[in-house]
Amino acid sequence: MSLDPKRTILELKELRELTADSDGAQRLAWSDTWLKARAWFEAKIDALPVEHHLDAAGNRWVTLQGDSPKALLIGSHLDSVPNGGWLDGCLGELAGLEILRRFADEFYGRPPVTIRLVDWADEEGARFGRSLLGSSAFAGTESIEADRVRTDRDGIRLDAALLRCGIDIDRFPEARMEQENAEAYLELHIEQGPVLESLDLPLGVVLGTKGVERHAITFCGQEAHSGSTPMNARRDALAAAAKLALEIREIARKHPDAVCTMGSLKTFPGIVTAVVGRCEATLDQRDLDAAILARMYQEAREASERFATEEGCRVEWSKIWNIEPVPFHPDLIEFCEQAARETAGTAHRFPSGPLHDAAEVSRAGIPAVMMFVQSLRGISHNKIEDTKEEHLELAITALDRLATKTVQWILRS
Ligand SMILES: [Zn+2]
């Protein structure tokens, strides 16, 4: 029995039947529906000659033992955002399952290297606002003290929600043991953006995940009456913020893959009859190149000070969060490009704006790469998320080729 990408598409539809309602997928991590999806997945792997278990962070590991203990990891996540699509996460997981089956059949249950499929726990972070929870424990970049007290909309704490699923957050560091013998990591994902569709290409080679600088910026001016305060006497905090909102577009446009977003803006007192005395904004900047990211951050800071001065205001910055860019492994990028070209005739290299579990694996020092498949309309985290079935088949076939090339690379190393 050889690789059967059509079976993967049927299984994706089966999972959708089981875990979606009229608003979309509801496989929110640590929820009953997520557990149902995982039980369904477990039933699929029970038919294979594999060992499987949950690690200390709730990641499921499925191991097909090979002649060599050196392991190729393939992974993704079964969890979804609320009202999510039918492909985000589970495409990569079920494609990995199909490849595991292919290896098991072709090598009579004993491939030359060990093949391990992983279903990461809580990639999305949709319930507690903490993305990549399971893979960060694997990588050793977990933040237990900050995370345990996070609460969901109903006030339930993260550590309590995990305990309900049998996971003790204090044991997270034990998940690092799964790194043993890991030689490479592969992940297939939908693009979730418009790039491949705009180029009319089915497959993309992901160069890495962009670093993120995320800051809160507060402009302080003077609240004043909108009727009595002459224009030249105003210290308008919104005017300074608005200038910055336009300037960050220019800052980003100097670099082909950079993005800068001012996603939130609050004005105080926020009434129709007052000049804005205080304006709170957020800035999110991303690029794959750490030097470009640092330069964009510096330029935004300088611009904010310039605009504050022009408007008679002060400006303060405070960091919300940041993560460094994570470039993927050059050899695996090359194999990914070859696999995509052999399958689809063409491929495009570009960085990922969204973060993925592959970034955490890469931060653990394990060579990693991702392949993207085109998303229709560039839409994801939405029930209308979709990809042409012929593109899904190409992607599963290309991931399989990439897996074979990577196994040969592991054997050579
Ligand atoms: Zn995803």
Side-chain angles (χ1 to χ4, degrees), residues 51-110:
E51 176 277 330
H52 63 91
H53 66 272
L54 294 183
D55 71 16
N59 304 307
R60 180 177 302 285
W61 292 92
V62 183
T63 303
L64 174 64
Q65 196 61 52
D67 285 334
S68 165
K70 289 181 177 180
L72 167 65
L73 315 185
I74 305 174
S76 188
H77 58 99
L78 287 179
D79 75 307
S80 76
V81 295
N83 306 329
W86 71 299
L87 299 170
D88 182 0
C90 49
L91 168 63
E93 199 59 38
L94 295 172
L97 173 63
E98 188 57 29
I99 289 162
L100 196 71
R101 286 181 181 127
R102 196 272 293 167
F103 274 109
D105 286 339
E106 183 175 339
F107 297 98
Y108 304 100
R110 189 96 180 163

Side-chain angles (χ1 to χ4, degrees), residues 118-141:
V118 55
D119 168 24
W120 300 111
D122 204 352
E123 189 272 348
E124 298 285 1
R127 183 166 163 197
F128 294 100
R130 201 319 183 181
S131 305
L132 313 182
L133 188 71
S135 55
S136 69
F138 166 83
T141 57

Side-chain angles (χ1 to χ4, degrees), residues 255-318:
H255 312 287
D257 293 317
V259 286
C260 293
T261 306
M262 196 181 272
S264 166
L265 201 67
K266 290 183 199 145
T267 59
F268 301 90
I271 56 171
V272 71
T273 51
V275 175
V276 174
R278 193 167 93 248
C279 185
E280 296 175 359
T282 61
L283 180 62
D284 178 293
Q285 299 180 293
R286 302 184 189 219
D287 197 79
L288 186 60
D289 183 325
I292 289 175
L293 190 59
R295 196 181 320 151
M296 292 199 307
Y297 166 65
Q298 201 48 45
E299 286 177 358
R301 267 200 100 123
E302 284 165 13
S304 75
E305 272 147 31
R306 193 164 74 242
F307 299 139
T309 304
E310 285 173 14
E311 299 299 328
C313 301
R314 279 184 299 114
V315 64
E316 285 162 15
W317 284 62
S318 72

Side-chain angles (χ1 to χ4, degrees), residues 119-359:
D119 168 24
W120 300 111
D122 204 352
E123 189 272 348
E124 298 285 1
R127 183 166 163 197
F128 294 100
R130 201 319 183 181
S131 305
L132 313 182
L133 188 71
S135 55
S136 69
F138 166 83
T141 57
E142 74 275 0
S143 41
I144 294 173
E145 293 318 313
D147 292 338
R148 73 164 81 239
V149 294
R150 290 174 181 271
T151 51
D152 69 5
R153 224 179 274 175
D154 301 320
I156 297 170
R157 268 171 56 146
L158 183 143
D159 53 1
L162 268 59
L163 217 46
R164 193 181 143 268
C165 298
I167 302 300
D168 176 357
I169 194 169
D170 285 308
R171 293 183 52 199
F172 264 28
E174 293 170 31
R176 247 171 267 188
M177 291 189 307
E178 305 293 341
Q179 288 185 25
E180 197 184 359
N181 293 320
E183 295 283 327
Y185 174 79
L186 309 176
E187 183 172 342
L188 169 66
H189 207 280
I190 52 169
E191 184 201 336
Q192 303 179 287
V195 174
L196 290 172
E197 189 178 41
S198 71
L199 295 169
D200 199 19
L201 295 177
L203 302 177
V205 180
V206 187
L207 295 169
T209 58
K210 292 178 184 178
V212 183
E213 285 287 345
R214 199 171 285 170
H215 296 262
I217 309 167
T218 303
F219 290 94
C220 297
Q222 178 67 59
E223 286 174 27
H225 194 288
S226 66
S228 61
T229 314
M231 296 311 289
N232 62 4
R234 294 183 177 207
R235 295 167 56 202
D236 185 339
L238 177 59
K243 286 181 174 178
L244 183 62
L246 296 176
E247 182 66 18
I248 59 163
R249 302 193 303 183
E250 303 310 316
I251 289 170
R253 278 175 187 152
K254 292 180 209 163
H255 312 287
D257 293 317
V259 286
C260 293
T261 306
M262 196 181 272
S264 166
L265 201 67
K266 290 183 199 145
T267 59
F268 301 90
I271 56 171
V272 71
T273 51
V275 175
V276 174
R278 193 167 93 248
C279 185
E280 296 175 359
T282 61
L283 180 62
D284 178 293
Q285 299 180 293
R286 302 184 189 219
D287 197 79
L288 186 60
D289 183 325
I292 289 175
L293 190 59
R295 196 181 320 151
M296 292 199 307
Y297 166 65
Q298 201 48 45
E299 286 177 358
R301 267 200 100 123
E302 284 165 13
S304 75
E305 272 147 31
R306 193 164 74 242
F307 299 139
T309 304
E310 285 173 14
E311 299 299 328
C313 301
R314 279 184 299 114
V315 64
E316 285 162 15
W317 284 62
S318 72
K319 183 190 281 185
I320 298 172
W321 179 74
N322 75 333
I323 187 170
E324 75 276 20
V326 181
F328 290 146
H329 193 283
D331 291 2
L332 298 186
I333 289 172
E334 189 55 41
F335 299 149
C336 188
E337 165 126 24
Q338 289 171 11
R341 284 190 184 282
E342 288 165 17
T343 311
T346 172
H348 176 64
R349 294 181 178 210
F350 63 122
S352 172
L355 285 165
H356 289 284
D357 293 309

Side-chain angles (χ1 to χ4, degrees), residues 38-52 60 62 97 100-101:
R38 285 194 135 190
W40 171 85
F41 183 67
E42 209 179 324
K44 298 270 172 199
I45 55 187
D46 272 342
L48 293 165
V50 293
E51 176 277 330
H52 63 91
R60 180 177 302 285
V62 183
L97 173 63
L100 196 71
R101 286 181 181 127

Side-chain angles (χ1 to χ4, degrees), residues 378-397:
I379 300 287
S380 182
H381 286 189
N382 187 307
K383 70 172 177 181
I384 68 163
E385 166 191 290
D386 206 4
T387 294
K388 286 179 194 158
E389 290 192 12
E390 65 202 76
H391 288 174
L392 293 175
E393 288 183 33
L394 286 175
I396 296 157
T397 304

